[in-house]
């Protein structure tokens, strides 16, 4: 309306008063969802959740400060200029606010972009339907229950990941050394020699009793 279009400051105030609280709510819920990972026994998931939670917090502060500043610069110097590489520092004349105010005074209907029209005409009526909200809520509830069940089964790894197939001769030897021969850091490691081929090994002249 004319009150909002009276100046660029009133436009920014109207937009941020409507969107600031919504962005704050979504940022808090997302941050809390990531902080839930603190209770996980796996250190990697726990550290990722804490990192992601701080990213969401700082992202909200940047959107409410730095992005607002960038929007003002774009509005004053780039928005209504022709071309994608116009780097002139002169102020736009007229600005998009002045153009919108002039159209409102002339009684012209504001143009709505296809994305805004889609959300206004399709998404909003769908979400405001009570039946649709119940269906979406039930689906989300089932998904949350299934996720909680699988998450509760997560456990830290107790053994090193096997590089080869468990039946591979080298993997069998590595597994035996790791699980069957317990040792401390001061103990000399046990040596195992593996020999395999298409035929039996030739043991002619070998005396394992007196000359192992």
């Amino acid at each position: 309306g004319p009150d909002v279009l009276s100046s660029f400051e009133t436009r920014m105030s109207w937009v941020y008063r409507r969107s600031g609280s919504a962005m704050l709510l979504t940022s808090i819920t997302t941050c809390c969802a990531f902080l839930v990972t603190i209770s996980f026994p796996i250190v990697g998931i726990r550290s990722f959740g804490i990192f992601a939670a701080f990213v969401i917090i700082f992202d909200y502060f940047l959107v409410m400060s730095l992005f607002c500043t960038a929007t003002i610069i774009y509005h004053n110097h780039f928005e209504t200029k022709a071309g994608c590489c116009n780097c002139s520092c002169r102020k736009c004349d007229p600005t998009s606010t002045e153009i919108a105010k002039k159209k409102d005074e002339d009684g012209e209907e504001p143009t709505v972009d296809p994305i805004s029209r889609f959300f206004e005409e399709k998404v909003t009526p769908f979400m405001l339907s009570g039946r649709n909200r119940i269906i979406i809520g039930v689906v989300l509830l089932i998904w949350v229950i299934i996720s909680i069940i699988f998450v509760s089964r997560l456990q830290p790894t107790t053994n090193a990941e096997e590089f080869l197939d468990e039946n591979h001769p080298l993997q069998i030897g590595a597994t035996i050394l790791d699980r069957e021969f317990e040792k401390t850091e001061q103990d000399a490691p046990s040596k195992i020699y593996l020999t395999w081929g298409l035929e039996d090994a030739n043991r002619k002249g070998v005396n394992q009793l007196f000359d192992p």
Side-chain angles (χ1 to χ4, degrees):
D3 295 337
V4 176
L5 296 175
S6 60
S7 66
F8 181 61
E9 289 76 10
T10 56
R11 291 181 67 190
M12 291 293 295
S13 175
W14 183 82
V15 169
Y16 268 79
R17 278 190 284 108
R18 295 189 63 186
S19 61
S21 57
M23 289 188 294
L24 177 62
L25 180 61
T26 56
S27 298
I28 291 176
T29 54
T30 307
C31 182
C32 292
F34 280 118
L35 289 177
V36 171
T37 59
I38 295 177
S39 61
F40 281 31
I42 301 176
V43 178
I45 296 180
R46 189 186 310 167
S47 59
F48 167 76
I50 297 174
F51 168 77
F54 278 101
V55 168
I56 297 300
I57 294 174
F58 285 108
D59 178 68
Y60 174 76
F61 289 135
L62 289 175
V63 168
M64 297 300 293
S65 57
L66 183 62
F67 181 74
C68 178
T69 305
T71 302
I72 294 173
I73 295 174
Y74 175 75
H75 170 271
N76 291 337
H77 298 281
F78 299 99
E79 186 173 8
T80 59
K81 291 181 181 179
C84 60
C85 299
N86 194 330
C87 299
S88 174
C89 294
R90 291 179 300 175
K91 189 174 182 180
C92 294
D93 187 21
T95 63
S96 60
T97 300
E98 294 170 347
I99 295 174
K101 183 178 180 181
K102 181 68 168 55
K103 290 182 178 180
D104 182 71
E105 292 174 350
D106 295 341
E108 295 184 24
E109 291 292 332
T111 56
V112 181
D113 59 274
I115 296 178
S116 299
R117 186 181 300 110
F118 170 75
F119 278 94
E120 181 179 357
E121 298 178 359
K122 303 294 183 180
V123 177
T124 301
F126 177 82
M127 295 302 298
L128 291 179
S129 173
R131 177 174 173 270
N132 294 337
R133 282 186 288 181
I134 293 175
I135 294 175
I136 295 174
V138 171
V139 173
L140 289 178
L141 180 62
I142 295 174
W143 178 78
V144 169
I145 293 174
I146 295 175
S147 301
I148 292 175
I149 293 174
F150 280 96
V151 166
S152 63
R153 298 178 181 178
L154 290 175
Q155 294 179 352
T157 56
T158 56
N159 298 316
E161 183 178 358
E162 296 180 353
F163 180 73
L164 301 171
D165 184 78
E166 61 179 3
N167 296 321
H168 194 281
L170 291 178
Q171 185 60 53
I172 293 175
T175 303
I176 292 174
L177 281 174
D178 182 51
R179 301 178 184 177
E180 304 297 334
F181 294 88
E182 298 182 358
K183 59 183 182 298
T184 63
E185 294 182 356
Q186 289 75 26
D187 295 335
S190 303
K191 295 182 179 180
I192 295 180
Y193 298 93
L194 300 176
T195 305
W196 73 94
L198 297 177
E199 299 178 357
D200 294 337
N202 185 5
R203 301 182 181 277
K204 185 178 180 179
V206 177
N207 191 330
Q208 297 183 347
L209 181 60
F210 297 102
D211 186 16

